[in-house]
């Protein structure tokens, strides 16, 4: 019973880490965000979390996460900030509005 509780807590923690990464991905990119998501340590932690969920749900998310990173950080920060600004704009009416009410 205790092992089931621990396993459930591990799965919830891993799911939380992936949800946090997704939420950070929709925020304007900062150097700190890139370190958390694209550094070798951050990418490895996300892939490990995905692997736990793969074992729980019989999915193949971990290989996809491993293919996404890590990335070199220095030249990409400025490029990501420019791309984010182009897509989402500085107002709610960018090319791709991040708010669902804009699509109604």
């Amino acid at each position: 019973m205790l092992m089931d509780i621990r396993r459930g807590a591990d799965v919830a923690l891993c799911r939380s880490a992936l949800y946090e990464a997704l939420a950070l991905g929709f925020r304007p990119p900062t150097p700190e965000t890139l370190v958390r998501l694209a550094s070798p340590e951050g990418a490895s932690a996300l892939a490990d979390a995905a692997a736990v969920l793969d074992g729980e749900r019989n999915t193949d998310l971990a290989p996809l996460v491993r293919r996404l990173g890590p990335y070199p950080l220095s030249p990409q920060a400025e490029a990501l900030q420019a791309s984010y600004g182009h897509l989402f704009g500085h107002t709610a009416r960018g090319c791709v509005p991040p708010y669902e009410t804009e699509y109604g």
Side-chain angles (χ1 to χ4, degrees):
M1 173 100 174
L2 184 59
M3 290 300 287
D4 289 339
I5 292 172
R6 285 186 181 164
R7 179 74 181 160
D10 288 344
V11 169
L13 182 62
C14 291
R15 191 178 312 123
S16 172
L18 291 173
Y19 286 151
E20 180 184 19
L22 288 171
L24 286 173
F26 282 104
R27 295 182 65 200
T30 64
E32 293 82 15
T33 302
L34 291 176
V35 167
R36 289 185 66 188
L37 297 178
S39 69
E41 297 82 17
S44 178
L46 288 175
D48 291 344
V52 169
L53 295 180
D54 285 348
E56 185 70 22
R57 300 287 183 183
N58 197 25
T59 59
D60 291 324
L61 184 60
L64 296 173
V65 174
R66 289 193 198 285
R67 283 194 323 202
L68 292 176
Y71 293 109
L73 299 180
S74 52
Q76 201 158 9
E78 294 82 17
L80 282 176
Q81 289 169 350
S83 293
Y84 184 92
H86 175 72
L87 285 175
F88 296 112
H90 63 280
T91 65
R93 299 207 182 260
C95 294
V96 183
Y99 308 105
E100 66 181 278
T101 55
E102 294 296 317
Y103 292 99

